[in-house]
Amino acid sequence: MGRAVPPLAIEALIRAPRSRVWRAWTDPEELAAWDPDRVDGQFVEGQQVTLHWDCFGASADLEVLRCHPEEELQLRVTRTGGETQDLFIALQAIGDEQTRIILRVEGTVGAAELEGTAAGWRTQLRVLARFLSRPKESRTSFAAMGSALVTREQAYAAFVLPGWLSDEPLPLQEGQRFSMHTLDGNLLSGTILSLVPGHEIALWCEELGGVVRMRSIPLADNRSRLLGLQVLRWGAAPQAEAIEQSLRHSAERLISLLEGPRGQA
């Protein structure tokens, strides 16, 4: 069993009415448009909901402990070995058109795992904000990932190295605009959505109308990491097919880079 670690709180201000934000969290179709690929079940107190991330071959079972419409949602995730992690989501209306999300994570997991969970949620709340700022459109997602025997620091350092995604530098400041060409010649431009050192970099890409996430996720052996690119976009994008193929090639180059001398260090 893991030991209890201090609760971790994350806040985000979303430009959308509280009722709209609540639907994004609790309506299975809405939730599957910005986080998991599929949702089984309904968010009703005492019920179980299963989230599926098909692109990673992963799923999570959630027990709905509390569901107070438009105000509070409490979920419990039970992990292999009996370790649990509780997620508390509170919504506060700020006027008629904004909502503050207060998200708290606690449980009997390791501090490193809790940090990784927080990193993911920090980015995911920004993905939610982007989703809610757009007209309702169909979702498309894919992940191009591979494993390598590297530390999280090595993996994150590789994300900003030239030669796998682009030969052009990527600015390392949240909110800053970027413009670069992939090694296959496709233009990527937009905004740095999130930087979480040691974990991931997320880009809002205008050519895709979606998010490109460079991710580093620990595997069960605690030595290897799952690395690569995850894309989530909404609606049609004329250049999407070419860009997505280019990103798949980029992920292959990243894994090859890390499987070399750096990955064997």
Side-chain angles (χ1 to χ4, degrees), residues 14-21 92-99:
I14 304 290
R15 294 185 179 277
R18 183 167 65 172
S19 59
R20 179 72 183 89
V21 177
Q92 297 178 351
I94 309 297
D96 294 331
E97 298 298 327
Q98 295 188 95
T99 303

Side-chain angles (χ1 to χ4, degrees), residues 157-170 180-181 183 253-254 257 262:
F159 288 160
V160 300
L161 289 175
W164 69 275
L165 176 61
S166 174
D167 282 331
E168 302 164 51
L170 183 69
M180 62 185 180
H181 288 82
L183 295 184
R253 285 190 290 267
L254 174 65
L257 172 69
R262 174 184 293 272

